[in-house]
Structures are given as structure tokens and as C-alpha cells.
mmCIF file of all heavy atoms in Angstrom:
data_model
loop_
_atom_site.group_PDB
_atom_site.id
_atom_site.type_symbol
_atom_site.label_atom_id
_atom_site.label_comp_id
_atom_site.label_asym_id
_atom_site.label_seq_id
_atom_site.Cartn_x
_atom_site.Cartn_y
_atom_site.Cartn_z
ATOM 1 N N LEU A 219 58.215 -17.456 4.165
ATOM 2 C CA LEU A 219 57.516 -18.262 3.163
ATOM 3 C C LEU A 219 56.637 -19.314 3.796
ATOM 4 O O LEU A 219 56.259 -20.304 3.172
ATOM 5 C CB LEU A 219 58.540 -18.934 2.218
ATOM 6 C CG LEU A 219 59.501 -17.994 1.503
ATOM 7 C CD1 LEU A 219 60.449 -18.786 0.620
ATOM 8 C CD2 LEU A 219 58.728 -16.977 0.681
ATOM 9 N N ARG A 220 56.259 -19.131 5.065
ATOM 10 C CA ARG A 220 55.325 -20.023 5.790
ATOM 11 C C ARG A 220 55.841 -21.457 5.863
ATOM 12 O O ARG A 220 55.041 -22.383 6.052
ATOM 13 C CB ARG A 220 53.955 -19.996 5.132
ATOM 14 C CG ARG A 220 53.362 -18.619 4.928
ATOM 15 C CD ARG A 220 53.256 -17.885 6.253
ATOM 16 N NE ARG A 220 52.287 -18.502 7.135
ATOM 17 C CZ ARG A 220 52.023 -18.071 8.374
ATOM 18 N NH1 ARG A 220 52.684 -17.040 8.868
ATOM 19 N NH2 ARG A 220 51.133 -18.677 9.108
ATOM 20 N N VAL A 221 57.141 -21.663 5.690
ATOM 21 C CA VAL A 221 57.700 -23.015 5.792
ATOM 22 C C VAL A 221 57.490 -23.561 7.206
ATOM 23 O O VAL A 221 57.310 -24.775 7.393
ATOM 24 C CB VAL A 221 59.212 -23.020 5.456
ATOM 25 C CG1 VAL A 221 59.822 -24.391 5.635
ATOM 26 C CG2 VAL A 221 59.416 -22.545 4.006
ATOM 27 N N GLY A 222 57.480 -22.670 8.184
ATOM 28 C CA GLY A 222 57.284 -23.108 9.571
ATOM 29 C C GLY A 222 55.961 -23.793 9.816
ATOM 30 O O GLY A 222 55.802 -24.506 10.834
ATOM 31 N N GLU A 223 54.972 -23.609 8.921
ATOM 32 C CA GLU A 223 53.682 -24.254 9.090
ATOM 33 C C GLU A 223 53.843 -25.782 9.144
ATOM 34 O O GLU A 223 53.119 -26.470 9.855
ATOM 35 C CB GLU A 223 52.749 -23.873 7.931
ATOM 36 C CG GLU A 223 52.303 -22.422 7.923
ATOM 37 C CD GLU A 223 51.149 -22.187 8.884
ATOM 38 O OE1 GLU A 223 50.745 -23.145 9.574
ATOM 39 O OE2 GLU A 223 50.676 -21.053 8.957
ATOM 40 N N LEU A 224 54.808 -26.289 8.373
ATOM 41 C CA LEU A 224 54.997 -27.739 8.292
ATOM 42 C C LEU A 224 55.533 -28.325 9.579
ATOM 43 O O LEU A 224 55.565 -29.553 9.730
ATOM 44 C CB LEU A 224 55.939 -28.055 7.132
ATOM 45 C CG LEU A 224 55.433 -27.649 5.745
ATOM 46 C CD1 LEU A 224 56.471 -27.981 4.695
ATOM 47 C CD2 LEU A 224 54.113 -28.358 5.431
ATOM 48 N N SER A 225 55.983 -27.462 10.507
ATOM 49 C CA SER A 225 56.465 -27.981 11.772
ATOM 50 C C SER A 225 55.346 -28.687 12.542
ATOM 51 O O SER A 225 55.607 -29.571 13.360
ATOM 52 C CB SER A 225 57.046 -26.849 12.633
ATOM 53 O OG SER A 225 56.051 -25.878 12.942
ATOM 54 N N LEU A 226 54.104 -28.300 12.270
ATOM 55 C CA LEU A 226 52.945 -28.965 12.906
ATOM 56 C C LEU A 226 52.922 -30.445 12.543
ATOM 57 O O LEU A 226 52.651 -31.307 13.405
ATOM 58 C CB LEU A 226 51.648 -28.315 12.472
ATOM 59 C CG LEU A 226 50.366 -28.927 13.080
ATOM 60 C CD1 LEU A 226 50.252 -28.556 14.540
ATOM 61 C CD2 LEU A 226 49.125 -28.504 12.316
ATOM 62 N N VAL A 227 53.230 -30.745 11.290
ATOM 63 C CA VAL A 227 53.236 -32.145 10.832
ATOM 64 C C VAL A 227 54.297 -32.925 11.583
ATOM 65 O O VAL A 227 54.070 -34.049 12.070
ATOM 66 C CB VAL A 227 53.494 -32.213 9.315
ATOM 67 C CG1 VAL A 227 53.561 -33.659 8.846
ATOM 68 C CG2 VAL A 227 52.416 -31.457 8.557
ATOM 69 N N TYR A 228 55.483 -32.330 11.717
ATOM 70 C CA TYR A 228 56.599 -33.013 12.403
ATOM 71 C C TYR A 228 56.284 -33.210 13.880
ATOM 72 O O TYR A 228 56.479 -34.311 14.435
ATOM 73 C CB TYR A 228 57.878 -32.177 12.253
ATOM 74 C CG TYR A 228 59.032 -32.690 13.088
ATOM 75 C CD1 TYR A 228 59.768 -33.816 12.696
ATOM 76 C CD2 TYR A 228 59.359 -32.060 14.285
ATOM 77 C CE1 TYR A 228 60.802 -34.280 13.457
ATOM 78 C CE2 TYR A 228 60.426 -32.522 15.060
ATOM 79 C CZ TYR A 228 61.136 -33.634 14.665
ATOM 80 O OH TYR A 228 62.162 -34.099 15.422
ATOM 81 N N LEU A 229 55.782 -32.170 14.530
ATOM 82 C CA LEU A 229 55.471 -32.259 15.971
ATOM 83 C C LEU A 229 54.342 -33.242 16.257
ATOM 84 O O LEU A 229 54.399 -33.979 17.239
ATOM 85 C CB LEU A 229 55.107 -30.860 16.497
ATOM 86 C CG LEU A 229 56.254 -29.839 16.485
ATOM 87 C CD1 LEU A 229 55.723 -28.442 16.811
ATOM 88 C CD2 LEU A 229 57.351 -30.233 17.465
ATOM 89 N N ASN A 230 53.329 -33.261 15.393
ATOM 90 C CA ASN A 230 52.244 -34.221 15.560
ATOM 91 C C ASN A 230 52.741 -35.657 15.349
ATOM 92 O O ASN A 230 52.286 -36.593 16.023
ATOM 93 C CB ASN A 230 51.101 -33.923 14.592
ATOM 94 C CG ASN A 230 50.260 -32.758 15.052
ATOM 95 O OD1 ASN A 230 50.380 -32.269 16.161
ATOM 96 N ND2 ASN A 230 49.388 -32.278 14.188
ATOM 97 N N LYS A 231 53.665 -35.803 14.407
ATOM 98 C CA LYS A 231 54.216 -37.150 14.145
ATOM 99 C C LYS A 231 54.981 -37.643 15.368
ATOM 100 O O LYS A 231 54.922 -38.821 15.699
ATOM 101 C CB LYS A 231 55.125 -37.082 12.925
ATOM 102 C CG LYS A 231 55.562 -38.455 12.428
ATOM 103 C CD LYS A 231 56.345 -38.343 11.121
ATOM 104 C CE LYS A 231 56.729 -39.744 10.615
ATOM 105 N NZ LYS A 231 57.497 -39.664 9.349
ATOM 106 N N LYS A 232 55.672 -36.727 16.037
ATOM 107 C CA LYS A 232 56.391 -37.097 17.244
ATOM 108 C C LYS A 232 55.418 -37.510 18.359
ATOM 109 O O LYS A 232 55.772 -38.263 19.263
ATOM 110 C CB LYS A 232 57.257 -35.934 17.749
ATOM 111 C CG LYS A 232 58.352 -35.511 16.786
ATOM 112 C CD LYS A 232 59.488 -36.522 16.742
ATOM 113 C CE LYS A 232 60.341 -36.424 17.975
ATOM 114 N NZ LYS A 232 61.514 -37.316 17.913
ATOM 115 N N ALA A 233 54.182 -36.989 18.260
ATOM 116 C CA ALA A 233 53.147 -37.306 19.252
ATOM 117 C C ALA A 233 52.348 -38.546 18.868
ATOM 118 O O ALA A 233 51.392 -38.904 19.567
ATOM 119 C CB ALA A 233 52.216 -36.123 19.442
ATOM 120 N N GLY A 234 52.701 -39.190 17.739
ATOM 121 C CA GLY A 234 52.039 -40.426 17.361
ATOM 122 C C GLY A 234 51.022 -40.335 16.259
ATOM 123 O O GLY A 234 50.308 -41.290 15.972
ATOM 124 N N VAL A 235 50.896 -39.149 15.598
ATOM 125 C CA VAL A 235 49.904 -38.979 14.523
ATOM 126 C C VAL A 235 50.636 -39.052 13.179
ATOM 127 O O VAL A 235 51.718 -38.429 13.006
ATOM 128 C CB VAL A 235 49.184 -37.640 14.640
ATOM 129 C CG1 VAL A 235 48.190 -37.441 13.498
ATOM 130 C CG2 VAL A 235 48.448 -37.568 15.980
ATOM 131 N N ARG A 236 50.082 -39.788 12.237
ATOM 132 C CA ARG A 236 50.711 -39.940 10.908
ATOM 133 C C ARG A 236 50.878 -38.588 10.223
ATOM 134 O O ARG A 236 50.020 -37.709 10.325
ATOM 135 C CB ARG A 236 49.872 -40.853 10.013
ATOM 136 C CG ARG A 236 49.926 -42.310 10.417
ATOM 137 C CD ARG A 236 49.216 -43.209 9.416
ATOM 138 N NE ARG A 236 47.842 -42.826 9.207
ATOM 139 C CZ ARG A 236 47.353 -42.346 8.091
ATOM 140 N NH1 ARG A 236 48.145 -42.114 7.065
ATOM 141 N NH2 ARG A 236 46.077 -42.047 7.976
ATOM 142 N N GLY A 237 51.990 -38.448 9.500
ATOM 143 C CA GLY A 237 52.293 -37.185 8.833
ATOM 144 C C GLY A 237 51.270 -36.806 7.793
ATOM 145 O O GLY A 237 50.874 -35.635 7.700
ATOM 146 N N THR A 238 50.776 -37.776 7.023
ATOM 147 C CA THR A 238 49.786 -37.472 5.974
ATOM 148 C C THR A 238 48.481 -36.950 6.593
ATOM 149 O O THR A 238 47.848 -36.056 6.046
ATOM 150 C CB THR A 238 49.510 -38.724 5.125
ATOM 151 O OG1 THR A 238 49.159 -39.827 5.984
ATOM 152 C CG2 THR A 238 50.716 -39.094 4.309
ATOM 153 N N LYS A 239 48.094 -37.536 7.737
ATOM 154 C CA LYS A 239 46.869 -37.100 8.395
ATOM 155 C C LYS A 239 47.023 -35.675 8.935
ATOM 156 O O LYS A 239 46.124 -34.852 8.788
ATOM 157 C CB LYS A 239 46.507 -38.041 9.538
ATOM 158 C CG LYS A 239 45.208 -37.683 10.247
ATOM 159 C CD LYS A 239 44.831 -38.717 11.275
ATOM 160 C CE LYS A 239 43.479 -38.378 11.917
ATOM 161 N NZ LYS A 239 43.057 -39.412 12.904
ATOM 162 N N SER A 240 48.188 -35.390 9.529
ATOM 163 C CA SER A 240 48.437 -34.038 10.058
ATOM 164 C C SER A 240 48.455 -33.008 8.937
ATOM 165 O O SER A 240 47.943 -31.896 9.086
ATOM 166 C CB SER A 240 49.774 -34.019 10.808
ATOM 167 O OG SER A 240 49.736 -34.804 11.956
ATOM 168 N N LEU A 241 49.044 -33.381 7.799
ATOM 169 C CA LEU A 241 49.091 -32.446 6.659
ATOM 170 C C LEU A 241 47.713 -32.185 6.112
ATOM 171 O O LEU A 241 47.373 -31.045 5.791
ATOM 172 C CB LEU A 241 50.016 -33.014 5.576
ATOM 173 C CG LEU A 241 50.259 -32.089 4.362
ATOM 174 C CD1 LEU A 241 50.872 -30.774 4.828
ATOM 175 C CD2 LEU A 241 51.156 -32.780 3.339
ATOM 176 N N ALA A 242 46.887 -33.235 6.040
ATOM 177 C CA ALA A 242 45.509 -33.050 5.563
ATOM 178 C C ALA A 242 44.731 -32.135 6.502
ATOM 179 O O ALA A 242 44.007 -31.245 6.049
ATOM 180 C CB ALA A 242 44.828 -34.416 5.454
ATOM 181 N N VAL A 243 44.886 -32.341 7.800
ATOM 182 C CA VAL A 243 44.221 -31.501 8.788
ATOM 183 C C VAL A 243 44.703 -30.046 8.682
ATOM 184 O O VAL A 243 43.896 -29.104 8.757
ATOM 185 C CB VAL A 243 44.484 -32.040 10.216
ATOM 186 C CG1 VAL A 243 44.121 -31.009 11.275
ATOM 187 C CG2 VAL A 243 43.682 -33.304 10.450
ATOM 188 N N LEU A 244 45.996 -29.851 8.486
ATOM 189 C CA LEU A 244 46.548 -28.516 8.330
ATOM 190 C C LEU A 244 45.980 -27.824 7.097
ATOM 191 O O LEU A 244 45.639 -26.630 7.126
ATOM 192 C CB LEU A 244 48.078 -28.593 8.221
ATOM 193 C CG LEU A 244 48.830 -27.267 8.058
ATOM 194 C CD1 LEU A 244 48.579 -26.360 9.260
ATOM 195 C CD2 LEU A 244 50.333 -27.512 7.867
ATOM 196 N N ILE A 245 45.853 -28.573 5.990
ATOM 197 C CA ILE A 245 45.303 -28.006 4.762
ATOM 198 C C ILE A 245 43.847 -27.588 4.973
ATOM 199 O O ILE A 245 43.445 -26.494 4.558
ATOM 200 C CB ILE A 245 45.412 -29.031 3.611
ATOM 201 C CG1 ILE A 245 46.888 -29.236 3.227
ATOM 202 C CG2 ILE A 245 44.620 -28.538 2.388
ATOM 203 C CD1 ILE A 245 47.086 -30.348 2.226
#
């Protein structure tokens, strides 16, 4: 169900990027 796509948001957040920004970029 492509749930794994959201791992990008988590991993970017660990690297110092806000979750909302990562999600917008992913979209």
C-alpha cells in the first residue's frame, strides 16, 4: 500500500528537515 513512501519523511526529519517540508517535496 506504498506506506513505505512515508519513511522518506522520517529519515529526512532525522537529518534535520521538517516533516511537513519533506512531505510536500514527496507529494
